[in-house]
Amino acid sequence: MVKSYRFDPETIVVEAGQTVTWTNDDNFTHTVQIEGREDREVGRGESTSITFDQPGTYQYVCTLHRRDMQGAVIVR
Ligand SMILES: [Cu+2]
């Protein structure tokens, strides 16, 4: 979901228990860090997946490009 220094879509809505996968289609390394959790580096062509068990709104950023790359996972 990463392209040209952005997350697409920035906000996604999922059901509790579902897994979200971020795939890096950009030419640069990015990261996915859910607020308060570990930072996950995602290189070119790589993916990282996170399962969300608890409902809530989870803000996330790429810690390398905080200004441009932010998003949210809304878990219902
Ligand atoms: Cu980035």
Side-chain angles (χ1 to χ4, degrees):
M1 289 197 266
V2 184
K3 202 159 208 168
S4 300
Y5 291 98
R6 64 190 182 89
F7 290 112
D8 182 20
E10 289 184 348
T11 300
I12 188 171
V13 179
V14 300
E15 301 292 326
Q18 287 191 314
T19 298
V20 177
T21 300
W22 285 260
T23 301
N24 186 350
D25 291 326
D26 207 349
N27 292 320
F28 307 93
T29 296
H30 296 292
T31 77
V32 174
Q33 184 182 35
I34 305 289
E35 205 170 23
R37 297 195 194 176
E38 64 178 318
D39 196 13
R40 294 162 174 251
E41 191 170 294
V42 187
R44 293 169 58 181
E46 294 181 347
S47 298
T48 192
S49 296
I50 300 174
T51 300
F52 294 87
D53 293 324
Q54 300 295 327
T57 298
Y58 299 83
Q59 305 287 342
Y60 67 88
V61 298
C62 166
T63 57
L64 301 174
H65 314 104
R66 288 179 184 277
R67 182 182 297 243
D68 299 315
M69 299 182 64
Q70 307 169 11
V73 177
I74 298 168
V75 182
R76 294 198 165 144

